[in-house]
Structures are given as structure tokens and as C-alpha cells.
Amino acid sequence: MNFTLLFAYLTSIVLLIATPGPVVALVLTTAAKRGRRQAILTVLGTNWASLVLIGTAALVISGLLTIDARVLTWVSLIGCLFIAWMAIQALHHTSPPPEAQPTEQLQLARRGASPLLHGFLAGISNPKDILFFVAFFPQFVGITNRHEISLIILTLLWILFDFAILVSYAAAIHTSAFRRHAHQIAQVSAVFLLCVAIAGGAYSANDLLFATH
């Protein structure tokens, strides 16, 4: 086991996951507006997306799959549009009075809004995660002499740290200090989501525009 490389991987994923981005903002928004249980489902959705991206990276590493850069750009652009839609929806949703919260959450559940799916779509289209798994992740497969074992270890560590960090965000928002400002935090998170979507969409559109010339 190459512990130096493993430590570098752990440091990288902790910083990557904990750094505010579309996924963190989505988890905070969901926790503030719909409760911890829905936020955990959102986190499970992002874990699901991570497994898909890791599987794709494994195929690339093994030489069984090559990915055109334009495909990644289109995925990123579509994801940015989806993130922008979620942010706008969150900004339009006003916070109900405290006594109405359970009823409102029940109504949201009955509407069929799926936090699991939202988490998956946000994770699968997150430019930060796409770049990490396709371009950066392969550098760490040397933690053992066998790539298959390395991929299993790297995958388990990612899922463990991803779940723990994101659930910690969701739990923190329900402390007394966060509860008093839950609506404001959700709105700020939604604004951040919208800014990320606009910036990421502009970057992806610019890449596609120049790729056609």
C-alpha cells in the first residue's frame, strides 16, 4: 500500500467535497426547506452519481472507453441548466411559518419531487466531479499493485467521505443557530447555485462555441 499516495487522495477528496459547490449548496437548500431526511436522500443521490462517474473512470483507465471532450462539455452544460432551474425554484419558494412546516413537507413529498433524483442529476453533471474522476482520479490507482483493488479502495473511501461530509452539512443546518436563519441560508445557497450554473454554463458554452470553429 502506497500510504503517501493514499494520504494525497484523502486530502484531495476532503477538500473537493467540502469546498462549496453545486452539490453542497443543493444539500443545504434541501435540508433548510425540506428537512434532514430529504437532505440525506439527496446525498444518496450524489453518491449514486459518484459511482457512475467512478465506473466511467475505471473504463477509461482500463482502455475500454474513450470519451470525447465535447461530450463532457455537453453534460456539464445540461447540468448547469438543471442546476439553474433548481435554484430558481428554490428562490421562488417562500418559507412557511414554523407551525406549517410538517404540512408543507408532506405536500412536497406528495408532489413526487425526488431528492434522490435531484442529487443524482446535480452530482452527475457537476463539472468539478467530472473533471476529478476523468482527469485526476486515475493518478491514484497506484496505491496498490493491483488496479482492481485500488479502484475498490478509492471508491469506498470516496463514498464514505462524501456521505459523511455532506450529511454533516445537512445536520449543521438544523442546529439552533442555523434553524433561526434556515430560510436565509437556503436563499443564499440557491443564489450560489444560480451563480455557479451561470458561470459553468457560460464556460461550457464558450468551449462548445470555440470547438466548432
mmCIF file of all heavy atoms in Angstrom, residues 148-185:
data_model
loop_
_atom_site.group_PDB
_atom_site.id
_atom_site.type_symbol
_atom_site.label_atom_id
_atom_site.label_comp_id
_atom_site.label_asym_id
_atom_site.label_seq_id
_atom_site.Cartn_x
_atom_site.Cartn_y
_atom_site.Cartn_z
ATOM 1 N N GLU A 148 -7.530 -3.256 -9.757
ATOM 2 C CA GLU A 148 -8.888 -3.578 -9.316
ATOM 3 C C GLU A 148 -9.061 -3.299 -7.824
ATOM 4 O O GLU A 148 -10.076 -2.725 -7.399
ATOM 5 C CB GLU A 148 -9.217 -5.050 -9.582
ATOM 6 C CG GLU A 148 -8.799 -5.574 -10.954
ATOM 7 C CD GLU A 148 -7.369 -6.077 -10.978
ATOM 8 O OE1 GLU A 148 -7.039 -7.053 -10.270
ATOM 9 O OE2 GLU A 148 -6.586 -5.463 -11.714
ATOM 10 N N ILE A 149 -8.055 -3.707 -7.035
ATOM 11 C CA ILE A 149 -8.124 -3.465 -5.587
ATOM 12 C C ILE A 149 -8.047 -1.974 -5.293
ATOM 13 O O ILE A 149 -8.769 -1.452 -4.434
ATOM 14 C CB ILE A 149 -6.988 -4.220 -4.860
ATOM 15 C CG1 ILE A 149 -7.185 -5.726 -5.029
ATOM 16 C CG2 ILE A 149 -6.941 -3.840 -3.378
ATOM 17 C CD1 ILE A 149 -6.080 -6.572 -4.426
ATOM 18 N N SER A 150 -7.183 -1.268 -6.028
ATOM 19 C CA SER A 150 -7.053 0.175 -5.839
ATOM 20 C C SER A 150 -8.380 0.876 -6.101
ATOM 21 O O SER A 150 -8.797 1.756 -5.340
ATOM 22 C CB SER A 150 -5.984 0.744 -6.779
ATOM 23 O OG SER A 150 -4.711 0.242 -6.455
ATOM 24 N N LEU A 151 -9.060 0.483 -7.173
ATOM 25 C CA LEU A 151 -10.337 1.112 -7.520
ATOM 26 C C LEU A 151 -11.385 0.855 -6.440
ATOM 27 O O LEU A 151 -12.181 1.745 -6.118
ATOM 28 C CB LEU A 151 -10.825 0.595 -8.875
ATOM 29 C CG LEU A 151 -10.072 1.124 -10.101
ATOM 30 C CD1 LEU A 151 -10.489 0.374 -11.355
ATOM 31 C CD2 LEU A 151 -10.315 2.627 -10.276
ATOM 32 N N ILE A 152 -11.400 -0.346 -5.885
ATOM 33 C CA ILE A 152 -12.358 -0.664 -4.817
ATOM 34 C C ILE A 152 -12.097 0.209 -3.592
ATOM 35 O O ILE A 152 -13.008 0.797 -3.012
ATOM 36 C CB ILE A 152 -12.288 -2.158 -4.447
ATOM 37 C CG1 ILE A 152 -12.803 -3.016 -5.607
ATOM 38 C CG2 ILE A 152 -13.105 -2.431 -3.186
ATOM 39 C CD1 ILE A 152 -12.592 -4.502 -5.402
ATOM 40 N N ILE A 153 -10.819 0.308 -3.199
ATOM 41 C CA ILE A 153 -10.455 1.115 -2.031
ATOM 42 C C ILE A 153 -10.790 2.584 -2.265
ATOM 43 O O ILE A 153 -11.394 3.246 -1.401
ATOM 44 C CB ILE A 153 -8.956 0.948 -1.711
ATOM 45 C CG1 ILE A 153 -8.665 -0.479 -1.257
ATOM 46 C CG2 ILE A 153 -8.523 1.951 -0.634
ATOM 47 C CD1 ILE A 153 -7.184 -0.778 -1.095
ATOM 48 N N LEU A 154 -10.396 3.106 -3.423
ATOM 49 C CA LEU A 154 -10.639 4.518 -3.738
ATOM 50 C C LEU A 154 -12.134 4.816 -3.767
ATOM 51 O O LEU A 154 -12.584 5.865 -3.307
ATOM 52 C CB LEU A 154 -9.995 4.878 -5.080
ATOM 53 C CG LEU A 154 -8.470 4.807 -5.149
ATOM 54 C CD1 LEU A 154 -7.982 5.077 -6.567
ATOM 55 C CD2 LEU A 154 -7.837 5.784 -4.165
ATOM 56 N N THR A 155 -12.915 3.884 -4.325
ATOM 57 C CA THR A 155 -14.366 4.077 -4.411
ATOM 58 C C THR A 155 -15.002 4.095 -3.026
ATOM 59 O O THR A 155 -15.807 4.981 -2.709
ATOM 60 C CB THR A 155 -14.999 2.955 -5.251
ATOM 61 O OG1 THR A 155 -14.448 2.980 -6.565
ATOM 62 C CG2 THR A 155 -16.511 3.141 -5.333
ATOM 63 N N LEU A 156 -14.640 3.112 -2.184
ATOM 64 C CA LEU A 156 -15.208 3.041 -0.838
ATOM 65 C C LEU A 156 -14.865 4.288 -0.025
ATOM 66 O O LEU A 156 -15.713 4.829 0.697
ATOM 67 C CB LEU A 156 -14.718 1.789 -0.121
ATOM 68 C CG LEU A 156 -15.243 0.450 -0.658
ATOM 69 C CD1 LEU A 156 -14.592 -0.712 0.073
ATOM 70 C CD2 LEU A 156 -16.770 0.383 -0.516
ATOM 71 N N LEU A 157 -13.625 4.751 -0.146
ATOM 72 C CA LEU A 157 -13.214 5.954 0.591
ATOM 73 C C LEU A 157 -13.977 7.180 0.112
ATOM 74 O O LEU A 157 -14.401 8.017 0.920
ATOM 75 C CB LEU A 157 -11.700 6.168 0.446
ATOM 76 C CG LEU A 157 -10.811 5.186 1.216
ATOM 77 C CD1 LEU A 157 -9.340 5.412 0.851
ATOM 78 C CD2 LEU A 157 -11.015 5.354 2.721
ATOM 79 N N TRP A 158 -14.154 7.297 -1.205
ATOM 80 C CA TRP A 158 -14.899 8.437 -1.732
ATOM 81 C C TRP A 158 -16.329 8.438 -1.200
ATOM 82 O O TRP A 158 -16.820 9.460 -0.706
ATOM 83 C CB TRP A 158 -14.913 8.439 -3.262
ATOM 84 C CG TRP A 158 -15.841 9.489 -3.816
ATOM 85 C CD1 TRP A 158 -17.194 9.401 -4.008
ATOM 86 C CD2 TRP A 158 -15.482 10.837 -4.159
ATOM 87 N NE1 TRP A 158 -17.698 10.588 -4.475
ATOM 88 C CE2 TRP A 158 -16.678 11.487 -4.570
ATOM 89 C CE3 TRP A 158 -14.282 11.536 -4.180
ATOM 90 C CZ2 TRP A 158 -16.690 12.814 -5.005
ATOM 91 C CZ3 TRP A 158 -14.290 12.858 -4.604
ATOM 92 C CH2 TRP A 158 -15.485 13.488 -5.011
ATOM 93 N N ILE A 159 -17.017 7.298 -1.299
ATOM 94 C CA ILE A 159 -18.401 7.214 -0.856
ATOM 95 C C ILE A 159 -18.512 7.522 0.637
ATOM 96 O O ILE A 159 -19.414 8.258 1.074
ATOM 97 C CB ILE A 159 -18.985 5.811 -1.151
ATOM 98 C CG1 ILE A 159 -19.045 5.564 -2.669
ATOM 99 C CG2 ILE A 159 -20.370 5.661 -0.534
ATOM 100 C CD1 ILE A 159 -19.911 6.562 -3.431
ATOM 101 N N LEU A 160 -17.591 6.974 1.431
ATOM 102 C CA LEU A 160 -17.606 7.196 2.873
ATOM 103 C C LEU A 160 -17.436 8.677 3.215
ATOM 104 O O LEU A 160 -18.224 9.248 3.973
ATOM 105 C CB LEU A 160 -16.497 6.373 3.538
ATOM 106 C CG LEU A 160 -16.305 6.593 5.047
ATOM 107 C CD1 LEU A 160 -17.543 6.152 5.811
ATOM 108 C CD2 LEU A 160 -15.072 5.834 5.544
ATOM 109 N N PHE A 161 -16.415 9.312 2.647
ATOM 110 C CA PHE A 161 -16.146 10.718 2.958
ATOM 111 C C PHE A 161 -17.216 11.633 2.351
ATOM 112 O O PHE A 161 -17.616 12.627 2.970
ATOM 113 C CB PHE A 161 -14.759 11.120 2.444
ATOM 114 C CG PHE A 161 -13.645 10.739 3.375
ATOM 115 C CD1 PHE A 161 -13.103 9.468 3.355
ATOM 116 C CD2 PHE A 161 -13.139 11.656 4.293
ATOM 117 C CE1 PHE A 161 -12.086 9.103 4.222
ATOM 118 C CE2 PHE A 161 -12.124 11.306 5.166
ATOM 119 C CZ PHE A 161 -11.592 10.029 5.135
ATOM 120 N N ASP A 162 -17.684 11.297 1.151
ATOM 121 C CA ASP A 162 -18.719 12.106 0.506
ATOM 122 C C ASP A 162 -19.985 12.113 1.354
ATOM 123 O O ASP A 162 -20.567 13.169 1.623
ATOM 124 C CB ASP A 162 -19.008 11.520 -0.881
ATOM 125 C CG ASP A 162 -19.932 12.414 -1.715
ATOM 126 O OD1 ASP A 162 -19.742 13.639 -1.698
ATOM 127 O OD2 ASP A 162 -20.824 11.870 -2.386
ATOM 128 N N PHE A 163 -20.414 10.929 1.796
ATOM 129 C CA PHE A 163 -21.620 10.816 2.608
ATOM 130 C C PHE A 163 -21.438 11.540 3.942
ATOM 131 O O PHE A 163 -22.309 12.317 4.363
ATOM 132 C CB PHE A 163 -21.956 9.347 2.845
ATOM 133 C CG PHE A 163 -23.249 9.133 3.580
ATOM 134 C CD1 PHE A 163 -24.460 9.149 2.905
ATOM 135 C CD2 PHE A 163 -23.256 8.921 4.946
ATOM 136 C CE1 PHE A 163 -25.655 8.965 3.572
ATOM 137 C CE2 PHE A 163 -24.445 8.732 5.635
ATOM 138 C CZ PHE A 163 -25.650 8.756 4.947
ATOM 139 N N ALA A 164 -20.304 11.302 4.624
ATOM 140 C CA ALA A 164 -20.073 11.880 5.954
ATOM 141 C C ALA A 164 -20.028 13.407 5.908
ATOM 142 O O ALA A 164 -20.648 14.092 6.736
ATOM 143 C CB ALA A 164 -18.771 11.335 6.542
ATOM 144 N N ILE A 165 -19.328 13.961 4.932
ATOM 145 C CA ILE A 165 -19.183 15.422 4.856
ATOM 146 C C ILE A 165 -20.504 16.091 4.498
ATOM 147 O O ILE A 165 -20.915 17.079 5.122
ATOM 148 C CB ILE A 165 -18.090 15.796 3.839
ATOM 149 C CG1 ILE A 165 -16.712 15.370 4.369
ATOM 150 C CG2 ILE A 165 -18.089 17.307 3.569
ATOM 151 C CD1 ILE A 165 -15.589 15.503 3.363
ATOM 152 N N LEU A 166 -21.210 15.539 3.503
ATOM 153 C CA LEU A 166 -22.463 16.160 3.078
ATOM 154 C C LEU A 166 -23.549 16.029 4.140
ATOM 155 O O LEU A 166 -24.337 16.955 4.355
ATOM 156 C CB LEU A 166 -22.925 15.558 1.753
ATOM 157 C CG LEU A 166 -22.032 15.871 0.541
ATOM 158 C CD1 LEU A 166 -22.563 15.192 -0.708
ATOM 159 C CD2 LEU A 166 -21.919 17.379 0.307
ATOM 160 N N VAL A 167 -23.608 14.869 4.829
ATOM 161 C CA VAL A 167 -24.581 14.706 5.908
ATOM 162 C C VAL A 167 -24.242 15.653 7.065
ATOM 163 O O VAL A 167 -25.143 16.177 7.731
ATOM 164 C CB VAL A 167 -24.629 13.242 6.381
ATOM 165 C CG1 VAL A 167 -25.413 13.115 7.683
ATOM 166 C CG2 VAL A 167 -25.272 12.371 5.308
ATOM 167 N N SER A 168 -22.967 15.902 7.290
ATOM 168 C CA SER A 168 -22.564 16.860 8.330
ATOM 169 C C SER A 168 -23.074 18.256 8.005
ATOM 170 O O SER A 168 -23.538 18.989 8.885
ATOM 171 C CB SER A 168 -21.040 16.883 8.467
ATOM 172 O OG SER A 168 -20.553 15.637 8.917
ATOM 173 N N TYR A 169 -23.014 18.626 6.737
ATOM 174 C CA TYR A 169 -23.581 19.907 6.310
ATOM 175 C C TYR A 169 -25.083 19.931 6.605
ATOM 176 O O TYR A 169 -25.608 20.920 7.129
ATOM 177 C CB TYR A 169 -23.353 20.121 4.810
ATOM 178 C CG TYR A 169 -22.071 20.817 4.446
ATOM 179 C CD1 TYR A 169 -21.085 20.168 3.700
ATOM 180 C CD2 TYR A 169 -21.831 22.143 4.821
ATOM 181 C CE1 TYR A 169 -19.903 20.800 3.351
ATOM 182 C CE2 TYR A 169 -20.656 22.776 4.470
ATOM 183 C CZ TYR A 169 -19.693 22.111 3.732
ATOM 184 O OH TYR A 169 -18.524 22.745 3.387
ATOM 185 N N ALA A 170 -25.763 18.847 6.242
ATOM 186 C CA ALA A 170 -27.215 18.784 6.447
ATOM 187 C C ALA A 170 -27.564 18.837 7.931
ATOM 188 O O ALA A 170 -28.567 19.447 8.320
ATOM 189 C CB ALA A 170 -27.777 17.514 5.810
ATOM 190 N N ALA A 171 -26.743 18.194 8.775
ATOM 191 C CA ALA A 171 -27.005 18.186 10.215
ATOM 192 C C ALA A 171 -26.725 19.546 10.829
ATOM 193 O O ALA A 171 -27.459 20.019 11.709
ATOM 194 C CB ALA A 171 -26.151 17.118 10.889
ATOM 195 N N ALA A 172 -25.679 20.207 10.363
ATOM 196 C CA ALA A 172 -25.296 21.507 10.930
ATOM 197 C C ALA A 172 -26.379 22.552 10.729
ATOM 198 O O ALA A 172 -26.588 23.420 11.587
ATOM 199 C CB ALA A 172 -23.989 21.983 10.304
ATOM 200 N N ILE A 173 -27.087 22.440 9.621
ATOM 201 C CA ILE A 173 -28.098 23.456 9.326
ATOM 202 C C ILE A 173 -29.292 23.363 10.275
ATOM 203 O O ILE A 173 -30.106 24.282 10.360
ATOM 204 C CB ILE A 173 -28.550 23.350 7.855
ATOM 205 C CG1 ILE A 173 -29.089 24.698 7.371
ATOM 206 C CG2 ILE A 173 -29.588 22.267 7.663
ATOM 207 C CD1 ILE A 173 -29.343 24.752 5.905
ATOM 208 N N HIS A 174 -29.403 22.252 11.021
ATOM 209 C CA HIS A 174 -30.519 22.092 11.953
ATOM 210 C C HIS A 174 -30.113 22.311 13.407
ATOM 211 O O HIS A 174 -30.875 21.988 14.312
ATOM 212 C CB HIS A 174 -31.153 20.708 11.778
ATOM 213 C CG HIS A 174 -31.968 20.606 10.530
ATOM 214 N ND1 HIS A 174 -33.209 21.189 10.401
ATOM 215 C CD2 HIS A 174 -31.694 20.044 9.334
ATOM 216 C CE1 HIS A 174 -33.674 20.960 9.198
ATOM 217 N NE2 HIS A 174 -32.773 20.268 8.526
ATOM 218 N N THR A 175 -28.919 22.867 13.615
ATOM 219 C CA THR A 175 -28.574 23.318 14.960
ATOM 220 C C THR A 175 -29.367 24.588 15.237
ATOM 221 O O THR A 175 -29.911 25.214 14.322
ATOM 222 C CB THR A 175 -27.066 23.591 15.074
ATOM 223 O OG1 THR A 175 -26.699 24.589 14.118
ATOM 224 C CG2 THR A 175 -26.265 22.322 14.837
ATOM 225 N N SER A 176 -29.446 24.993 16.511
ATOM 226 C CA SER A 176 -30.279 26.146 16.872
ATOM 227 C C SER A 176 -29.881 27.406 16.117
ATOM 228 O O SER A 176 -30.732 28.179 15.670
ATOM 229 C CB SER A 176 -30.205 26.391 18.386
ATOM 230 O OG SER A 176 -28.858 26.590 18.786
ATOM 231 N N ALA A 177 -28.572 27.614 15.961
ATOM 232 C CA ALA A 177 -28.106 28.819 15.264
ATOM 233 C C ALA A 177 -28.541 28.804 13.808
ATOM 234 O O ALA A 177 -28.993 29.823 13.272
ATOM 235 C CB ALA A 177 -26.591 28.928 15.372
ATOM 236 N N PHE A 178 -28.404 27.639 13.157
ATOM 237 C CA PHE A 178 -28.792 27.543 11.760
ATOM 238 C C PHE A 178 -30.303 27.605 11.590
ATOM 239 O O PHE A 178 -30.808 28.156 10.618
ATOM 240 C CB PHE A 178 -28.256 26.240 11.154
ATOM 241 C CG PHE A 178 -26.851 26.336 10.661
ATOM 242 C CD1 PHE A 178 -25.791 26.060 11.505
ATOM 243 C CD2 PHE A 178 -26.576 26.703 9.358
ATOM 244 C CE1 PHE A 178 -24.486 26.147 11.059
ATOM 245 C CE2 PHE A 178 -25.275 26.787 8.906
ATOM 246 C CZ PHE A 178 -24.225 26.511 9.759
ATOM 247 N N ARG A 179 -31.052 27.016 12.561
ATOM 248 C CA ARG A 179 -32.509 26.975 12.427
ATOM 249 C C ARG A 179 -33.108 28.375 12.382
ATOM 250 O O ARG A 179 -34.088 28.615 11.679
ATOM 251 C CB ARG A 179 -33.121 26.176 13.583
ATOM 252 C CG ARG A 179 -33.401 24.732 13.241
ATOM 253 C CD ARG A 179 -34.430 24.124 14.188
ATOM 254 N NE ARG A 179 -34.062 24.327 15.578
ATOM 255 C CZ ARG A 179 -33.363 23.459 16.301
ATOM 256 N NH1 ARG A 179 -32.916 22.359 15.743
ATOM 257 N NH2 ARG A 179 -33.081 23.701 17.555
ATOM 258 N N ARG A 180 -32.515 29.282 13.158
ATOM 259 C CA ARG A 180 -33.047 30.642 13.197
ATOM 260 C C ARG A 180 -32.907 31.345 11.851
ATOM 261 O O ARG A 180 -33.630 32.283 11.561
ATOM 262 C CB ARG A 180 -32.336 31.454 14.286
ATOM 263 C CG ARG A 180 -32.711 31.054 15.700
ATOM 264 C CD ARG A 180 -32.274 32.103 16.700
ATOM 265 N NE ARG A 180 -30.822 32.241 16.724
ATOM 266 C CZ ARG A 180 -30.022 31.536 17.523
ATOM 267 N NH1 ARG A 180 -30.542 30.617 18.335
ATOM 268 N NH2 ARG A 180 -28.714 31.708 17.497
ATOM 269 N N HIS A 181 -31.952 30.880 11.067
ATOM 270 C CA HIS A 181 -31.695 31.550 9.785
ATOM 271 C C HIS A 181 -31.824 30.572 8.615
ATOM 272 O O HIS A 181 -31.208 30.775 7.572
ATOM 273 C CB HIS A 181 -30.295 32.166 9.789
ATOM 274 C CG HIS A 181 -30.036 33.078 10.948
ATOM 275 N ND1 HIS A 181 -30.592 34.339 11.036
ATOM 276 C CD2 HIS A 181 -29.299 32.902 12.072
ATOM 277 C CE1 HIS A 181 -30.200 34.916 12.161
ATOM 278 N NE2 HIS A 181 -29.431 34.067 12.813
ATOM 279 N N ALA A 182 -32.629 29.518 8.797
ATOM 280 C CA ALA A 182 -32.728 28.469 7.780
ATOM 281 C C ALA A 182 -33.178 29.022 6.428
ATOM 282 O O ALA A 182 -32.617 28.674 5.388
ATOM 283 C CB ALA A 182 -33.693 27.377 8.245
ATOM 284 N N HIS A 183 -34.191 29.890 6.453
ATOM 285 C CA HIS A 183 -34.700 30.421 5.187
ATOM 286 C C HIS A 183 -33.640 31.260 4.488
ATOM 287 O O HIS A 183 -33.428 31.134 3.271
ATOM 288 C CB HIS A 183 -35.950 31.267 5.439
ATOM 289 C CG HIS A 183 -36.506 31.884 4.189
ATOM 290 N ND1 HIS A 183 -36.992 31.133 3.142
ATOM 291 C CD2 HIS A 183 -36.642 33.189 3.810
ATOM 292 C CE1 HIS A 183 -37.405 31.941 2.188
ATOM 293 N NE2 HIS A 183 -37.196 33.187 2.565
ATOM 294 N N GLN A 184 -32.945 32.111 5.260
ATOM 295 C CA GLN A 184 -31.909 32.953 4.670
ATOM 296 C C GLN A 184 -30.767 32.111 4.095
ATOM 297 O O GLN A 184 -30.259 32.389 2.997
ATOM 298 C CB GLN A 184 -31.349 33.932 5.713
ATOM 299 C CG GLN A 184 -32.342 34.991 6.167
ATOM 300 C CD GLN A 184 -33.193 34.525 7.341
ATOM 301 O OE1 GLN A 184 -33.341 33.323 7.567
ATOM 302 N NE2 GLN A 184 -33.748 35.477 8.071
ATOM 303 N N ILE A 185 -30.395 31.051 4.837
ATOM 304 C CA ILE A 185 -29.324 30.178 4.351
ATOM 305 C C ILE A 185 -29.733 29.471 3.068
ATOM 306 O O ILE A 185 -28.951 29.355 2.115
ATOM 307 C CB ILE A 185 -28.946 29.144 5.433
ATOM 308 C CG1 ILE A 185 -28.275 29.857 6.616
ATOM 309 C CG2 ILE A 185 -28.025 28.070 4.877
ATOM 310 C CD1 ILE A 185 -28.051 28.974 7.818
#
